[in-house]
Amino acid sequence: MKVLIPSPLRSYTGEGRVEATGATLAELLADLERRYPGIRFRMIDEQNRVRRHMRVFVNGEEAEDLSVALKPSDEVQIVQALSGG
Amino acid sequence: MPTITPAATGAVALLVGTRKGAFILKSDRARRRWKLTGPLNLGQIIHHVMLDPRDRKTMLMAASTGHLGPTLFRSTDQGRSWKEAKRPPAYPTAKEGEKARAVDHTFWLTPGHPSTKGTWYAGTSPQGLFRTEDGGDTWAPVTGLTDHPEYSKWFGSAKDGTPDGAKLHSVIVDPRDARHLYVGMSSGGVLESKDAGATWSPLVKGLEVVEGFDANTLSFHDPHCVRLCPSNPDRLYQQNHCGIYRLDRPDDAWVRIGRAMPKAVGDIGFPMVVHPRDADTAWVFPMDGSGVWPRTSPGGKPAAFVTKNAGRSWKRLDGGLPKQQAWLTVKRQAMSADAHGPVGLYFGTTGGELWASRDEGAKWSCIARHLPEIYAVEAAELTR
């Protein structure tokens, strides 16, 4: 499925849109980690919590946890909060 | 008593961590000219950059951003190329009923003992201690500390930590004994281990805490920076939230040597720097700890202070520094010494200026300005 990557994570992927697979969000993130080592820990902490300023949307709906089921036709958007200075 | 290392004569590299990336300044052998390179990892918060003195090639860089999780970059060619660590410092995923802890960022990096090649320690925020044995690629918690039954009592709550988050810092490895460690925690005090981190004991006797609080409670202790003297590993100096101290082992009571500082300046600050070959000599960079704690140079008149007699007296060192209206803040990792003779001293400010002295602080000159907020400055010898 298509995954939208925010600019702070493009040093891992090299591009803003990538393809990845998984029946759940957790599996999708594991697939991203296999393809782009190190990317998962920048988004998800060691307790499997989405980091404070990161948000993940599936077809425009925010995913609250990593158990959310996915279909190959889904579009996943990873977004970083536009805060800071 | 270890053999005192002869003075260095080679070029110095300053490894500078800032809020917006890392920079490296390299000098000529005379330390008169400096060349700035960088930024490395522009936009990432670089808490610390360290060279491994055991091989003079490996460097580690602790990074995070305001949004992404923490990571650690490694170089094996003196900083020419960098690769991300495979497993940066992180806690195991909690089992049901366990406290789910997460590393916010790695704050402090210390190379291990010369006899344990590849070993490094990392202090994190919130307070945690991690060790690698493969040169920084994979890290694991030092569970003797992180799983200690008194852990939460020592560290207190998030409210006891510093505004940037509670930190474990000042990880010190005794040059005579790889198993003998010290750490400082803000908050949490100073702890000592004699068995490579398996067990720990508080080392806070003699240290003061904020007025009205009980010094027997570890979470009230805030050692800003602790240093061991390489020429006499039985001597430690400490810049604390509540004064400057010295400890001569095997004694276990710190002595407040900051009482000898001028009253108008006080003995509050962040960094503590020791001489590489003379255990009676140490430097501090005082800040204003009055009222709401501006944490700037007292009176807007910046100066380092040196003791050459283990703290019995202090001398002001402000040659070349602005004489007024200069409200500098120097963080705990942002001042260091090289190993030349005379010793070179360096400090970076939160306003992005980097100052250097080739004569042990007698005269200062600004060698870089307009950098981002400086978090850390380490003087490294790329060659001897």
Side-chain angles (χ1 to χ4, degrees):
Chain A
M1 71 200 73
K2 288 192 179 67
V3 184
L4 183 73
I5 304 291
S7 66
L9 290 171
R10 289 179 197 166
S11 60
Y12 293 89
T13 61
E15 53 194 335
R17 288 175 190 275
V18 300
E19 288 286 331
T21 59
T24 63
L25 191 51
E27 288 182 18
L28 179 93
L29 290 166
D31 188 42
L32 284 175
E33 175 66 20
R34 269 191 298 278
R35 293 167 195 246
Y36 312 109
I39 194 171
R40 186 183 186 280
F41 192 60
R42 308 299 305 266
M43 299 183 272
I44 311 293
D45 76 13
E46 56 264 61
Q47 306 304 335
N48 294 318
R49 299 175 295 214
V50 178
R51 293 192 184 276
R52 192 155 57 110
H53 297 290
M54 304 297 298
R55 300 174 81 179
V56 182
F57 293 85
V58 178
N59 303 324
E61 294 285 322
E62 184 168 7
E64 299 291 344
D65 64 66
L66 306 190
S67 63
V68 170
L70 299 174
K71 304 185 297 295
S73 59
D74 286 341
E75 185 166 308
V76 175
Q77 297 162 304
I78 299 167
V79 181
Q80 178 196 273
L82 296 172
S83 59
Chain B
M1 184 80 67
T3 310
I4 294 177
T5 312
T9 56
V12 174
L14 299 181
L15 313 179
V16 183
T18 83
R19 187 174 163 78
K20 300 292 181 183
F23 298 82
I24 299 178
L25 279 93
K26 286 184 186 166
S27 76
D28 57 2
R29 289 172 71 93
R31 299 171 296 167
R32 286 181 188 280
R33 283 193 294 273
W34 294 87
K35 190 178 172 198
L36 176 71
T37 57
L40 302 161
N41 291 313
L42 177 63
Q44 307 227 27
I45 302 168
I46 307 300
H47 300 275
H48 210 187
V49 189
M50 282 294 283
L51 172 75
D52 189 339
R54 296 166 293 189
D55 65 9
R56 298 185 198 281
K57 289 179 184 165
T58 305
M59 286 184 185
L60 297 187
M61 183 189 299
S64 62
T65 76
H67 303 86
L68 304 180
T71 194
L72 213 142
F73 294 99
R74 303 170 65 233
S75 171
T76 53
D77 54 12
Q78 295 191 334
R80 281 185 282 277
S81 62
W82 294 86
K83 202 174 165 193
E84 195 168 352
K86 201 180 290 171
R87 198 172 73 223
Y91 290 100
T93 304
K95 297 187 184 81
E96 190 143 345
E98 287 180 347
K99 193 175 177 192
R101 292 180 289 173
V103 171
D104 183 79
H105 60 268
T106 296
F107 179 72
W108 188 282
L109 295 163
T110 294
H113 191 270
S115 66
T116 58
K117 198 176 167 216
T119 298
W120 288 68
Y121 290 91
T124 61
S125 174
Q127 303 96 322
L129 182 64
F130 292 78
R131 179 164 44 212
T132 175
E133 290 173 4
D134 58 12
D137 199 24
T138 61
W139 295 78
V142 176
T143 53
L145 183 65
T146 57
D147 292 349
H148 194 284
E150 301 281 303
Y151 177 90
S152 57
K153 204 189 285 181
W154 286 348
F155 303 165
S157 72
K159 288 184 181 179
D160 294 313
T162 70
D164 281 347
K167 298 179 188 327
L168 188 146
H169 54 82
S170 304
V171 184
I172 295 168
V173 181
D174 188 331
R176 300 163 300 188
D177 178 3
R179 298 168 62 78
H180 186 203
L181 309 173
Y182 299 97
V183 300
M185 295 186 295
S186 297
S187 60
V190 181
L191 298 179
E192 179 184 28
S193 172
K194 293 178 177 171
D195 50 17
T199 60
W200 294 85
S201 307
L203 192 62
V204 296
K205 200 168 152 188
L207 298 176
E208 296 178 32
V209 297
V210 173
E211 190 180 356
F213 289 84
D214 180 5
N216 293 313
T217 303
L218 272 193
S219 62
F220 294 151
H221 283 273
D222 185 359
H224 285 174
C225 187
V226 186
R227 300 287 183 187
L228 174 145
C229 296
S231 59
N232 176 8
D234 280 330
R235 173 165 288 175
L236 295 107
Y237 289 95
Q238 175 183 163
Q239 174 65 73
N240 188 287
H241 188 81
C242 298
I244 307 166
Y245 297 84
R246 190 193 72 233
L247 175 62
D248 287 311
R249 310 307 308 274
D251 198 355
D252 64 351
W254 295 86
V255 176
R256 188 165 181 176
I257 56 175
R259 297 279 188 215
M261 286 281 286
K263 289 276 177 294
V265 174
D267 66 340
I268 307 303
F270 282 123
M272 183 88 236
V273 177
V274 294
H275 194 289
R277 294 175 297 278
D278 175 7
D280 285 345
T281 297
W283 295 268
V284 291
F285 201 91
M287 68 179 186
D288 186 346
S290 65
V292 295
W293 281 66
R295 296 174 171 83
T296 51
S297 303
K301 297 173 181 170
F305 279 75
V306 65
T307 178
K308 293 189 174 181
N309 51 22
R312 279 192 295 282
S313 63
W314 295 88
K315 185 183 173 196
R316 184 180 179 90
L317 300 171
D318 61 2
L321 291 172
K323 297 298 175 218
Q324 58 182 344
Q325 291 290 7
W327 306 92
L328 308 188
T329 297
V330 179
K331 294 194 164 186
R332 75 190 78 200
Q333 286 155 298
M335 186 172 180
S336 60
D338 67 27
H340 277 241
V343 168
L345 291 174
Y346 310 93
F347 70 83
T349 73
T350 54
E353 291 179 351
L354 194 56
W355 290 81
S357 167
R358 290 187 300 124
D359 51 13
E360 310 204 346
K363 189 162 190 319
W364 296 90
S365 57
C366 187
I367 58 170
R369 46 171 56 95
H370 312 309
L371 298 178
E373 178 179 357
I374 294 175
Y375 280 22
V377 177
E378 291 290 347
E381 294 169 50
L382 299 180
T383 56
R384 192 69 195 174

